[in-house]
Amino acid sequence: METATTLGLVAGALTTISFIPQVIKIWKTKHARDISLGMFAIFSSGVLLWLFYGIQIGSIPVIVANAVTLGLSLTILIFKMRYK
Amino acid sequence: METATTLGLVAGALTTISFIPQVIKIWKTKHARDISLGMFAIFSSGVLLWLFYGIQIGSIPVIVANAVTLGLSLTILIFKMRYK
C-alpha cells in the first residue's frame, strides 16, 4: 500500500477511536458539565456531511470512519443532553 | 465547483470550527474535569497524521483544516492538563 494511503488510514483510525475514551468517561461518571454542547452539535453535523461526501466520491474509508465517528459523537451529544 | 468538493469544504469547515465553543467554554469556566484527556491526546495525534497525509497528497484543504483543528485540539489538551 502507498505510504500516503497507510498514513490516511492510521490517521482516520486514530481520530475515530479517540471518541471512545470520552464516551466511557461520561458513561462512568454520569457527568458532562464541562463538555460543550455546541462542539458536539456542530461536530456531528460536520461528520454527517463528511459521510455524504464519502458516499458521493465513493470512498469506503471515508464512509466507514465517518459512520463510526458519527455514532460516537451523537452518543456524546445525547449524554450531554441527559447529564448536563 | 463540484457538489462533492463543496460538500467536503463545508464538512471540513464545520468539524474544524466545532472545537471553538469547547475552547471558549473551558477558557471561561476554568473547568475541564469531564473532558477526556485520552480523547484529546489520541485525537491530536490523529489530526497530526491527517496533516502529514495532506502534505503528502498535496491537498491544501486537508492541510489547512487539519492545521487549524490541531491548534484547537492541542489548546483543549493543554487546558485539560492545566484545569484538571
Side-chain angles (χ1 to χ4, degrees), chain A residues 3-5 7-19 21-22 25-26 29 31-40 42-43 45-47 49-50 52-53 56-57 65 76 80, chain B residues 3-5 7-19 21-22 25-26 29 31-40 42-43 45-47 49-50 52-53 56-57 65 76 80:
Chain A
T3 314
T5 308
L7 199 56
L9 289 173
V10 177
L14 284 176
T15 49
T16 298
I17 63 166
S18 69
F19 289 83
Q22 185 66 72
K25 188 178 178 80
I26 306 175
T29 63
H31 267 276
R33 194 191 50 178
D34 303 329
I35 300 290
S36 161
L37 182 76
M39 170 177 167
F40 286 92
I42 300 169
F43 190 82
S45 313
V47 171
L49 294 192
W50 276 124
F52 291 153
Y53 172 76
Q56 277 223 344
I57 64 165
I76 296 169
K80 170 63 187 176
Chain B
T3 313
T5 308
L7 199 56
L9 288 173
V10 177
L14 283 175
T15 50
T16 298
I17 63 166
S18 69
F19 290 83
Q22 184 66 71
K25 188 178 178 79
I26 307 175
T29 62
H31 268 277
R33 195 192 50 178
D34 303 329
I35 299 291
S36 162
L37 182 75
M39 170 178 166
F40 285 92
I42 301 169
F43 189 83
S45 313
V47 172
L49 294 192
W50 275 124
F52 291 151
Y53 173 76
Q56 278 223 343
I57 65 165
I76 296 169
K80 171 63 187 176

Side-chain angles (χ1 to χ4, degrees), chain A residues 12-13 15-16 47 51 60-70, chain B residues 50:
Chain A
T15 49
T16 298
V47 171
L51 185 59
I60 298 294
V62 174
I63 293 169
V64 174
N66 284 290
V68 177
T69 305
L70 184 62
Chain B
W50 275 124

Side-chain angles (χ1 to χ4, degrees), chain A residues 23 26 44 69-81:
Chain A
V23 169
I26 306 175
S44 300
T69 305
L70 184 62
L72 292 167
S73 177
L74 286 176
T75 303
I76 296 169
L77 191 63
I78 291 164
F79 278 179
K80 170 63 187 176
M81 289 187 286

